[in-house]
């Protein structure tokens, strides 16, 4: 050990502690900049504010803009991409053949009949699909469905395309589309967490879009040389290829037992009460169902408008080519949207808001179609929006909505919504359109009006999704419905429980019941007859409660207890009766056999007398000065009497006791003193009470006394906290004391200190105090300021991570960590946890109604899905434009990343990042955190120690 | 909230308030609704197994009525009756279940997630402190009750005993020394820095009193060099060597332990004012958890020994209700 450095440590201990504490967590911007300047080179651009561009880039990187596919994910993503590519390619080819054949053989009005038939059959198919998945697993169900689709398609190809066969083909195509897509996405939901889904569903969905383009292009090319029916064989072949590919897909271990899965999203380590799986108790599921229902109706009506417009403007012979080209173009648009637009939109506005983009654009198109009376161009444009967004942006956003649902809920909900509901809505819409067409009122304008109305409703539902989306997480978090602070009403059952407890032979149970009633301000429910109880403990507590109440029915029974054999009960009885002004009880107590009971009565009566100077009262004066144990007991009883009688003339007595060296500093002594002070409400005690905060015994009672002295005490506490000369131990307890005042002024003061306080530990106490005041009182905080502080702490967390990674990784051939370096790494880890905890505490202050603590627990969990849900919750919670950077930082800190990757993602916030141990240690030796700097300097002298 | 839920909640609160009897009413009022809200009723029939040895430890249970027996091979069984808390030892020691818990008759339990309990302690330092001190006093009482018992492993050795013979200890030496003390071993580095910075070095000649019986017990003493022997009436003398905390984990209590301690030879010690220790615990919850862990480990050892002795007369001992 280096002795000189040890001496330096000793000498600078106080100074270092102050400095260290100042920087225990992130510093306010201006202060930080000023302190960084002298050590510019060593620290590089650490801590400098990133430019807006860098932050945007960083946020983009964090949210998956760069490296969306991480290590270990490439294979499942590639397989999923290919499966969806083939699946949608096959289906698009089938659809092209279907539409061309249908509109060639049948009038568009027959579409409605097909929709109705589809709806009826979808019930059966959806049910079969669910059973198949339950019996054989999600992947095998998909493989089986694909094989069936291939066989049925080949069979239809073998038949002559009569109108009935064409109808059958349409129904088959519809059913295949209705079943395969949900099956695939349920499989994907099983494979990926919601955080992965946000990054990976875009690339995976692009497989579907590319498949659509490929399917339509293939169809267009084939149709130039072959008959339309040849497309059926191509589709069947693609279905089989998809099934074969699926057999190579690796799934999570629990795939084999799909029925056993029930996520408890935020509490993987705790068996929480199981969430209800009944769909009618899932408001979010209802909202998603409404969204899907409206979207299905809207796109069906639009499809009808599109096809009838196409049929009326284009010659039947050219319809096949037209559809093939139009679909190819549409899928091209979809691909562009998927590759370049969808991800950005989801990242920028969040999942819930992204679901509103497509209906909003469709709404504009529908308005155009309505105004022009169903002209070709606006209809084609609107259908292009549908085709361009439905399978890209809208698909990704909608699928992401399902991810936070518990697995069992998701499985059932998706099956019902995407198949049964969607088909039912199609049937109802089709029936409505059929009816209107039959009545001869279904003009293009009328159709456009229907599309418009549906899109408007769809937009409205999408706009209302955010709150129920957050509720999905909240329910998983809350694990119970009790709101703290809300009084639990006492119903008949509860009353029975209380009566039973009060009749218990166990005094502890009886006292517990009394306490529970007192906590709820329901003392009136305690029968006065409780004073006949055998137990001294019960009598003592009951008398305390009665004494503090306004009831008088217990007084005769209380007087009876003045002759109780136990001294503590007699004192309790005298006190309770005295508080209710029963003078006869006091007079009787002056003749009690116990000196203590007598003393209380005498003191109480003296305090009620006309004597001006109580310190000279013949019975009181000796009690103040007696130094024997009896004197100490008298002073305690004197303080008790003063607390009960609360006479201003007693102020001098209390002051004398407080300043007396003969009075102890035990918990009981200080508490009695504090209660007397609280009762007297005299500002002269304020300095004493403030100073007393530095001592543990009786601190809570001292706090209550200060709160009772209201504004003058608050002013004194504020001044003491602002004064750097105030004892640090006292300063650390001031924020919580200020918080106990529970006023807006107290809150505002703490808000100010949160930004300006220089001592890190005191600032942490300010943060805790703010958390307390916000949780317990109706006060307002500046959310933006709080979120700025949260941002600083997250950046600090990342800064520490960067150094820790560099030290731990070392360089090739570098020696193992020395004991002091290991201590340093541990310290960095501690401080990382602290800064993260502080960021979450700040978030809790900004969002008081949210159970952020549970989110923090989930964020630290070893369970990938829990962490993912925490990230998704934070993303949705911090959806505002001004919160984008904070959102990105939380994502970076919470996301399931290797530390090195996390550091890379944080580059824009940190500036220079140490590349190896040497650089990290060099930088840390001059770190603004004194503890880190101190440990960083120890490495060389201590190598090999321990 | 449904009527059943409401009354259930109230019953749990009454039970908890009874369980916490002895704490100040304001603490009870603060804690009971927080704990009661996430509790779940568990009813077992005689012979039902609540958990098995090796299961993960994520929660503990209050026994409302009935009786539970906790068994494992090679150690005496523990039996818990009404108003007791089971499962907390494994939680505190951060390990899988070390025993299998079986209901010996129809039993009603209240399950409480471990995280709720830890959150509660972290949010209320007064309760935490009472818990740590209570645990320390319990360990001390058990040690006195066992008289001549020396734990199987003997006083725990500190891996770091390389403190220089002369001259002041550097801060890092102090930190390494303190890190070897079980009570502080798993506290955060920051907590160690706080303790090390505020510690005072003292020297004592052989035979010199280091702790006087009846005087305020306001310091925790770690032996740097030499040794300190503790004398307690009715118990065998215990000598604490370099790197060890005098009194062991019991030193966490501020209560007068009724013992005296003398330097066994020329001795150098590091004294930590107990208030500094409490302050560090308040600031760093990990230090509190480390302390509870050390105390729980010692308590388990003592209760097992107590059980072994009781087994000579009966099959099981009734463990003190609150572990």
């Amino acid at each position: 050990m280096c002795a000189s450095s040890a001496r330096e440590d000793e000498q600078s201990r106080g100074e270092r502690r102050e400095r260290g504490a100042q920087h225990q967590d992130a510093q306010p911007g201006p202060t930080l900049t000023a302190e960084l300047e002298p050590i510019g080179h060593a620290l590089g651009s650490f801590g400098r504010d990133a430019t807006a561009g860098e932050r945007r880039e960083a946020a983009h990187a964090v949210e998956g803009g760069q490296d969306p596919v991480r290590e270990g994910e490439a294979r499942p993503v590639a397989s999923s991409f290919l499966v969806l590519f083939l699946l949608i390619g096959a289906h698009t080819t089938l659809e092209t053949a279907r539409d061309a054949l249908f509109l060639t053989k049948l009038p568009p009005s027959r579409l409605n009949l097909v929709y109705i038939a589809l709806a009826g059959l979808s019930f059966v198919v959806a049910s079969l699909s669910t059973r198949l998945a339950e019996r054989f697993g999600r992947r095998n169900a998909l493989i089986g469905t694909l094989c069936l689709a291939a066989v049925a398609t080949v069979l239809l190809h073998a038949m002559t395309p009569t109108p009935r066969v064409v109808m059958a083909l349409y129904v088959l195509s519809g059913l295949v589309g209705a079943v395969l897509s949900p099956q695939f996405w349920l499989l994907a939901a099983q494979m990926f967490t919601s955080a992965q889904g946000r990054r990976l569903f875009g690339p995976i969905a692009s497989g579907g879009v590319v498949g659509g383009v490929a399917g339509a292009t293939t169809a267009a090319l084939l149709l130039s040389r072959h008959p339309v029916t040849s497309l059926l064989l191509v589709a069947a072949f693609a279905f089989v290829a998809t099934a074969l590919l699926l057999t190579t897909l690796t799934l999570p271990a629990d795939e084999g037992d799909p029925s056993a899965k029930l996520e408890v999203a935020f509490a993987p380590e705790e068996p929480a009460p199981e969430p209800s799986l009944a769909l009618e108790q899932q408001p979010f599921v209802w909202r998603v169902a409404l969204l899907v229902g409206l979207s299905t109706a809207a796109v069906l009506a639009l499809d009808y408008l599109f096809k009838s417009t196409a049929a009326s403007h284009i010659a039947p012979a050219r319809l096949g080519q037209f559809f093939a080209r139009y679909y190819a173009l549409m899928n091209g648009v979809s691909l562009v949207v998927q590759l370049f637009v969808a991800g950005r939109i989801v990242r920028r506005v969040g999942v819930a808001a992204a679901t509103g983009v497509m209906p909003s654009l469709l709404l504009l198109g529908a308005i155009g179609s309505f105004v022009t009376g169903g002209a070709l161009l606006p209809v084609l444009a609107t259908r292009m929006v549908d085709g361009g967004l439905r399978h890209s942006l809208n698909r990704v956003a909608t699928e992401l909505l399902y991810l936070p649902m518990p697995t069992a809920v998701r499985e059932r909900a998706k099956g019902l919504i995407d198949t049964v509901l969607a088909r039912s809505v199609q049937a109802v819409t089709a029936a409505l359109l059929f009816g209107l067409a039959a009545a001869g009122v279904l003009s293009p304008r009328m159709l456009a009006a229907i599309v418009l109305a549906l899109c408007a409703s769809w937009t409205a539902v999408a706009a209302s999704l955010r709150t129920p989306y957050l509720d999905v997480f909240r329910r998983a978090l809350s694990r119970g419905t009790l709101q703290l602070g809300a009084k639990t009403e006492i119903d008949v059952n509860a009353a029975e429980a209380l009566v039973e407890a009060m009749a218990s032979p166990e005094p502890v149970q009886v006292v517990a019941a009394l306490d529970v009633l007192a906590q709820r301000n329901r003392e009136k429910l305690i029968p006065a007859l409780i004073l006949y109880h055998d137990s001294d403990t019960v009598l003592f507590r009951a008398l305390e409660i009665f004494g503090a109440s306004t009831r008088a029915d217990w007084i005769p029974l209380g007087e009876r207890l003045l002759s109780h054999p136990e001294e503590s009960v007699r004192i309790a009885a005298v006190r309770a009766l005295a508080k209710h002004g029963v003078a006869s009880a006091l007079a009787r107590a002056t003749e009690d056999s116990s000196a203590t009971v007598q003393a209380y009565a005498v003191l109480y009566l003296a305090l009620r007398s006309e004597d001006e100077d109580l310190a000279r009262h013949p019975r009181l004066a000796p009690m103040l000065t007696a130094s024997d144990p009896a004197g100490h007991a008298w002073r305690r009883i004197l303080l008790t009497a003063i607390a009960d009688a609360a006479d201003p003339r007693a102020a001098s007595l209390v002051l004398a006791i407080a300043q007396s060296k003969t009075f102890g500093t035990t918990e009981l002594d200080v508490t009695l003193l504090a209660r007397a002070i609280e009762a007297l409400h005299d500002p002269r005690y304020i300095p004493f009470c403030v100073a007393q905060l530095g001592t543990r015994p009786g601190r809570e009672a001292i706090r209550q006394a200060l709160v009772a002295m209201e504004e003058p005490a608050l002013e004194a506490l504020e001044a003491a906290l602002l004064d750097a000369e105030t004892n640090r131990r006292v300063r650390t307890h001031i924020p919580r004391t200020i918080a106990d005042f529970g006023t807006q002024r107290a809150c505002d003061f703490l808000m100010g200190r949160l930004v300006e306080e220089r001592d890190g530990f005191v600032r942490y106490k300010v943060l805790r105090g703010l958390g307390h005041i916000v949780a317990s009182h109706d006060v307002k905080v500046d959310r933006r300021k709080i979120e700025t502080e949260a941002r600083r702490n997250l950046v600090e967390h990342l800064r520490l991570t960067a150094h820790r990674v560099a030290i731990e990784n070392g360089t090739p051939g570098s020696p193992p960590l020395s004991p002091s370096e290991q201590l340093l790494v541990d310290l960095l880890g501690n401080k990382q946890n602290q800064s993260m905890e502080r960021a979450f505490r700040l978030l809790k202050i900004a969002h008081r109604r949210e159970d952020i603590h549970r989110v923090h627990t989930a964020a630290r969990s070893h369970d990938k899905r829990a962490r993912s849900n925490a990230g998704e919750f934070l993303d949705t919670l911090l959806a505002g434009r001004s919160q984008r950077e904070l959102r990105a930082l939380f994502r970076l800190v919470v996301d399931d990343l290797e530390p090195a990757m996390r550091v890379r993602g944080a580059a824009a916030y940190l500036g220079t990042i140490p590349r190896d141990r040497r650089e990290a240690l060099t930088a840390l030796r001059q770190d603004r955190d004194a503890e880190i700097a101190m440990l960083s300097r120890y490495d060389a002298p201590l190598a090999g120690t321990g | 909230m449904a009527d059943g839920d409401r009354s259930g909640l109230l019953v749990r609160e009454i039970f908890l308030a009874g369980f916490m009897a002895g704490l100040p009413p304001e603490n009870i009022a603060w804690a009971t609704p927080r704990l009661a809200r996430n509790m779940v009723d568990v009813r077992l029939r005689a012979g039902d197994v609540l958990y098995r040895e090796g299961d993960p430890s994520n929660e503990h249970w209050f026994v409302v009525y009935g009786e539970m027996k906790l068994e494992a091979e090679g150690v005496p069984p523990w039996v818990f009756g009404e108003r007791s808390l089971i499962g907390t030892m494994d939680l505190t020691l951060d390990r899988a279940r070390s025993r299998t818990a079986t209901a010996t008759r129809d039993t009603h339990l209240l399950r409480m997630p471990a995280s709720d309990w830890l959150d509660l302690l972290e949010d209320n330092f007064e309760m935490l402190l009472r818990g740590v001190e209570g645990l320390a006093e319990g360990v001390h009482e058990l040690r006195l009750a066992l008289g001549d018992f020396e734990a199987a492993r003997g006083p725990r050795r500190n891996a770091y005993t390389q403190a220089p013979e002369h001259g002041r200890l550097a801060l890092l030496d102090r930190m390494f020394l303190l890190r070897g003390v079980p009570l502080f071993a798993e506290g955060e580095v920051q907590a160690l820095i706080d303790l090390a910075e505020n510690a005072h070095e003292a020297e004592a000649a052989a035979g010199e009193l280091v702790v006087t019986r009846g005087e305020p017990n306001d310091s925790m003493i770690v032996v740097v060099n030499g040794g300190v022997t503790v004398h307690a009436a009715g118990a065998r003398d215990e000598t604490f060597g370099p790197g060890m905390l005098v009194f062991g984990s019991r030193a966490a209590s501020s209560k007068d332990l009724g013992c005296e301690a003398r330097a066994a030879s020329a001795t150098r010690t590091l004294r930590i004012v107990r208030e500094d220790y409490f302050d560090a615990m308040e600031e760093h919850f990990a230090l509190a958890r480390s302390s509870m862990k050390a105390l729980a480990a010692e308590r388990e050892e003592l209760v097992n020994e107590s059980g072994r002795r009781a087994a000579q007369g009966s099959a099981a001992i009734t463990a003190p209700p609150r572990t």
Side-chain angles (χ1 to χ4, degrees), chain A residues 448-462:
Chain A
I450 291 170
V451 173
L452 194 155
L454 288 167
C455 288
S457 309
W458 178 5
T459 308
V461 172

Side-chain angles (χ1 to χ4, degrees), chain A residues 698-899:
Chain A
R699 186 183 288 143
E700 206 46 52
I702 288 286
R703 279 196 179 122
Q704 287 172 23
L706 280 164
V707 172
M709 287 184 272
E710 299 174 345
E711 288 292 300
L714 182 56
E715 280 167 18
L717 286 164
E718 288 172 355
L721 190 61
L722 290 170
D723 184 358
E725 298 299 313
T726 304
N727 181 305
R728 186 169 184 261
R729 192 167 271 170
V730 172
R731 289 191 84 228
T732 58
H733 293 285
I734 290 177
R736 173 58 203 266
T737 312
I738 289 178
D740 281 351
F741 283 77
T743 60
Q744 188 59 48
R745 172 182 166 163
C747 180
D748 292 343
F749 179 78
L750 290 175
M751 272 298 300
R753 296 317 300 159
L754 186 68
V755 178
E756 289 160 21
E757 177 58 49
R758 296 178 63 85
D759 184 323
F761 184 51
V762 176
R763 193 162 60 250
Y764 175 63
K765 288 290 192 178
V766 169
L767 170 59
R768 298 292 301 260
L770 258 179
H772 176 76
I773 198 170
V774 167
S776 317
H777 304 278
D778 186 20
V779 289
K780 291 190 177 74
V781 291
D782 183 339
R783 182 179 284 192
R784 188 159 290 195
K785 267 188 190 172
I786 294 284
E787 290 185 345
T788 303
E789 285 303 305
R791 178 199 170 276
R792 287 187 210 288
N793 278 283
L794 291 172
V795 171
E796 175 68 356
H797 175 88
L798 293 166
R799 183 183 84 88
L800 296 164
T801 307
H803 281 99
R804 191 177 170 190
V805 166
I807 294 171
E808 283 184 320
N809 289 350
T811 48
S814 58
L817 293 176
S818 69
S820 61
E821 285 169 345
Q822 188 54 57
L823 266 186
L824 175 63
V825 166
D826 291 349
L827 179 63
L828 290 172
N830 297 160
K831 286 181 181 280
Q832 273 177 274
N833 292 339
Q834 277 178 11
S835 51
M836 186 171 167
E837 182 209 327
R838 289 172 191 198
F840 274 96
R841 282 191 185 279
L842 285 157
L843 199 62
K844 172 69 188 167
I845 292 169
H847 302 269
R848 70 178 82 182
R849 293 184 197 285
E850 306 295 345
D851 193 346
I852 300 293
H853 180 67
R854 295 274 174 204
V855 184
H856 184 207
T857 305
R860 288 178 304 169
S861 161
H862 295 298
D863 186 277
K864 211 171 164 181
R865 204 167 275 274
R867 282 204 306 277
S868 158
N869 284 344
E872 189 59 31
F873 175 84
L874 291 169
D875 257 13
T876 312
L877 184 71
L878 303 170
R881 183 180 289 270
S882 64
Q883 295 167 314
R884 188 169 176 230
E885 199 182 357
L886 185 63
R887 184 167 71 234
L889 280 164
F890 266 115
R891 173 63 78 182
L892 193 58
V893 168
V894 169
D895 216 355
D896 193 26
L897 290 171
E898 287 297 316

Side-chain angles (χ1 to χ4, degrees), chain A residues 53 56-61 63-66 68 197-203 335-355 357 389 392-394 396-397 400 875 879 881 884 887:
Chain A
R56 271 198 301 277
E57 195 179 304
H60 178 62
E63 290 165 347
Q66 292 172 1
R198 184 182 267 256
R199 283 184 292 109
L200 303 177
F201 276 14
L335 182 61
V336 171
V337 171
Q338 183 58 59
L339 293 179
F340 303 110
V341 183
R344 284 169 192 268
I345 290 178
V346 172
R347 284 196 301 273
R348 183 164 289 245
V349 302
V351 173
T355 56
V357 175
L389 299 186
S392 53
L393 173 65
N394 202 56
V396 172
L400 284 170
D875 257 13
R881 183 180 289 270
R884 188 169 176 230
R887 184 167 71 234

Side-chain angles (χ1 to χ4, degrees), chain A residues 475 478-484 486, chain B residues 1-2 5-6 9 37-38:
Chain A
R475 273 208 307 282
S478 63
R479 302 186 310 135
T481 53
L482 175 73
Q483 294 292 314
L484 284 175
Chain B
M1 191 186 294
D5 295 341
R6 240 192 322 256
L9 191 68
R37 67 174 166 161
N38 286 330

